[in-house]
Amino acid sequence: MTELPETTDWSVEQSAELYGVRHWGAGYFDLSAEGDATVTVDIEGRSIAVPIIDIVQGMQERGLEMPCVLRVENLLDYRIQQLNEAFSRAIRQSEYQNHYRGVFPIKVNQQCHVIEEIADFGQNYHHGLEAGSKAELIIALSQLRDTESLIICNGYKDAEFIELGLYARQMGVRCFFVLETPTELPIIIERSQALGIEPLIGVRLRLSTTVDGHWQEDSGDRSIFGLSTSALLDVVEKLKAHNMLHCLQMLHSHLGSQIPNIRNVRTGVAEACRFYSGLVSEGAPMGYLDLGGGLAVDYEGSSSNSTHSMNYQLDEYCVNIVETVRDTLDEMDIAHPVLVSESGRATVAYSSMLLFNILDVRDHKPRKLPEQLPDDCPDVLKNLFSVLGTVTSQNFQECYNDALYYRDEVREMFHRGHATLRDRALAENINLAILGQIAALLPSISRVPSELENLPELLSDIYYGNFSLFQSLPDVWAIDQLLPIMPVHRLDEKPTRDAIIADITCDCDGKIDNFALPDGHSKTIPLHPMKDDEEYYLGVFLVGAYQETLGDLHNLFGDTNVVSVKINADASFDFQREFEGDSISDVLSYVEYSPNTVQEQLRKKAEAAVRQGKISVAMRKQMLKAFRDSLQGYTYFER
Ligand SMILES: *Cc1c(COP(=O)(O)O)cnc(C)c1O
């Protein structure tokens, strides 16, 4: 129910306001005058906007079904450019006496074409890669060609990991081992001496600075990462004893991801500088200060220090870091180090969106009610019916109580066999109509009783989307991540339905019922009524970071199709890459079925059915073809 208040007309501007696109879109997303969501890129100083629905059209023509992850290469490049240029500007303005080197943490999006693009475009800025495992180090070694770029190895490193890094050193790669625990050091010393290759060593510090937001446990005394101060001194002693203190050249700290509050950044950087200078005093050459990730993304567009937002801009972030390092080290007369940061989320989040179509809607609109009830229907139904149409802003609470009371009476009678199926349906229907009338009054009521606060949500529609939350938006499920969501077309029409969004897994957790709208967090989102002859497409934006690999195979919905486009100066776009999502056969093999064996089992079953006279040979042929096609097909709903 809950029709939004009617207005005679509706403008695209109102949609922009409603979905907050100009707040979270950061200039990359907006609406066209025709009411389509657009992705906007900057090409040679000109701003080029492409309607996302046009790209969807292009996918359709190429047989790429929904759901689909859409990557915009320009946005990935542009973010790397902006990050590097913002640091350069801050360095120039502050007369900081060294340069910046960014690295992209591979864990944030390991997909081959993302890393290839970062390695390729990143060469312009000597942008490197951060690896947290052997597999990621192998990716970094194979993708980076620029020898000025850094490779930073975090994570727990065994002898094999260390050998890989040492071989890279020997080939001239600037590959740092960052010590996470004291136990890594003996392996590094032993392996480097055995191979005769000198390592570059960094130390990851456990800062006492803590941060706001979801990732606060990445820092502070009880963080599971990094060395304590006394462990740091043990490392220094051990390096001295092996005559290797000159290898210690980097201090590393990472306060946590998505730091919403700039003050935490400043405090953390200042603390890291004290450790840096302490190590210089101990005689280590140093030269690099790596401040980890944490640069946030304003998912809700509120520019605040709430968990899903950030109270600062990129430039401010860079200036804060550069000035804090300059001031703290100048005080102690220590040369400025190369500044390194490992921004993952802020680099890739904008470049991807998840697109899906709506398959079905369950609304809570009452069916058409009769003018009058038949004389012989139960009294309680008549009582319920009499509440209808009497709801006012004075008596709505009483009407609410009565409606529920009579409806429950009918339910009770039904359980005992004293009311028919039709009686019950009628009661539910009348009740819905009354609740709808009450809900329509609520916006005009100054103090809504707490009992009724959830009424709009209870009456909202369920829009069933063709996607799996677990596969494509795992953080929404796991850590209540808020992501901007809006239709990608029809934005010149008024969205008259209030809805939550459910996915197609058979799991009641597979739903989105928390939305960041400019008025605040809402349990429902306004959407357009479905049309019979037209698909309705929604986009979930800013999903380029962490979502793809963290996703899982719940209900065996596999990877979605992925399309990577590049927008040109004339607003045309090229499909640079297309990746078909998992087939059913693929997902079966992930859980150890052999698709060939499965097919053979189906063949035997069909053959037995022929022998038993249940199906004809012709039917067998048709069935086996259907099985085969199915195994090759997409795991999602296909039209
Ligand atoms: C996860 C991680 C990052 C990336 O953090 P973002 O907030 O995505 O920028 C950087 N460095 C380390 C050590 C990490 O573990």
Side-chain angles (χ1 to χ4, degrees), residues 76-224:
L76 183 53
D77 296 350
Y78 194 47
R79 289 297 293 178
I80 293 174
Q81 180 186 340
Q82 287 190 312
L83 178 66
N84 281 281
E85 290 182 356
F87 265 110
S88 294
R89 265 195 305 278
I91 282 174
R92 259 197 322 277
Q93 282 161 16
S94 322
E95 296 179 8
Y96 185 84
Q97 299 301 313
N98 215 324
H99 52 259
Y100 169 74
R101 287 280 180 270
V103 294
F104 177 74
I106 297 176
K107 75 158 193 266
V108 182
N109 193 325
Q110 304 94 336
Q111 300 297 314
C112 180
H113 55 297
V114 171
I115 299 296
E116 275 177 7
E117 186 63 25
I118 292 173
D120 202 34
F121 183 83
Q123 284 189 66
N124 299 322
Y125 302 97
H126 307 302
H127 208 86
L129 293 168
E130 184 264 0
S133 65
K134 286 181 275 191
E136 290 183 355
L137 177 55
I138 286 175
I139 292 176
L141 290 176
S142 68
Q143 297 303 316
L144 276 190
R145 290 177 299 279
D146 175 13
T147 48
E148 289 287 306
S149 305
L150 304 179
I151 294 182
I152 310 285
C153 300
N154 288 313
Y156 295 92
K157 293 172 273 299
D158 62 9
E160 195 176 291
F161 195 147
I162 285 158
E163 280 186 20
L164 287 172
L166 288 171
Y167 290 136
R169 272 304 296 138
Q170 191 66 11
M171 293 188 288
V173 179
R174 288 168 203 246
C175 178
F176 274 88
F177 296 128
V178 175
L179 295 180
E180 298 261 2
T181 74
T183 50
E184 288 171 324
L185 186 58
I187 313 177
I188 294 176
I189 293 172
E190 193 277 323
R191 282 292 84 201
S192 67
Q193 287 179 345
L195 295 175
I197 305 172
E198 286 219 325
L200 284 172
I201 296 177
V203 277
R204 176 161 180 183
L205 254 294
R206 196 151 77 212
L207 300 182
S208 54
T209 304
T210 54
V211 298
D212 303 338
H214 181 84
W215 280 270
Q216 24 184 275
E217 290 181 3
D218 277 5
S219 51
D221 291 339
R222 286 296 297 165
S223 163
I224 55 178

Side-chain angles (χ1 to χ4, degrees), residues 105 107-108 130 154 180 204 218 225 252 254 256-259 292-296 342-346 545-546:
K107 75 158 193 266
V108 182
E130 184 264 0
N154 288 313
E180 298 261 2
R204 176 161 180 183
D218 277 5
F225 302 107
H252 181 289
H254 169 68
S257 198
Q258 180 69 16
I259 302 174
L295 176 57
E342 306 176 344
S343 278
R345 181 187 298 281
Y546 298 105

Side-chain angles (χ1 to χ4, degrees), residues 13 16 57 76 98 106 110 158 259 263 265 302 343 416-417 424 469 483 490 525 548 568:
E13 285 304 305
Q57 196 77 44
L76 183 53
N98 215 324
I106 297 176
Q110 304 94 336
D158 62 9
I259 302 174
R263 280 196 300 279
V265 174
S302 66
S343 278
R416 278 176 295 157
R424 172 147 182 189
L469 190 81
L483 294 167
R490 296 179 61 188
I525 184 169
E548 283 178 66
N568 305 312

Side-chain angles (χ1 to χ4, degrees), residues 506-518:
C506 308
D507 192 316
C508 61
D509 281 341
K511 64 170 191 278
I512 308 175
D513 58 1
N514 195 9
F515 303 89
L517 299 175

Side-chain angles (χ1 to χ4, degrees), residues 202-203 205 249-253 272 275-276 279 286 288-290:
V203 277
L205 254 294
Q249 298 187 20
M250 174 181 282
L251 183 104
H252 181 289
S253 68
F275 278 104
Y276 184 91
L279 287 171
M286 303 308 286
Y288 293 85
L289 177 61
D290 183 339

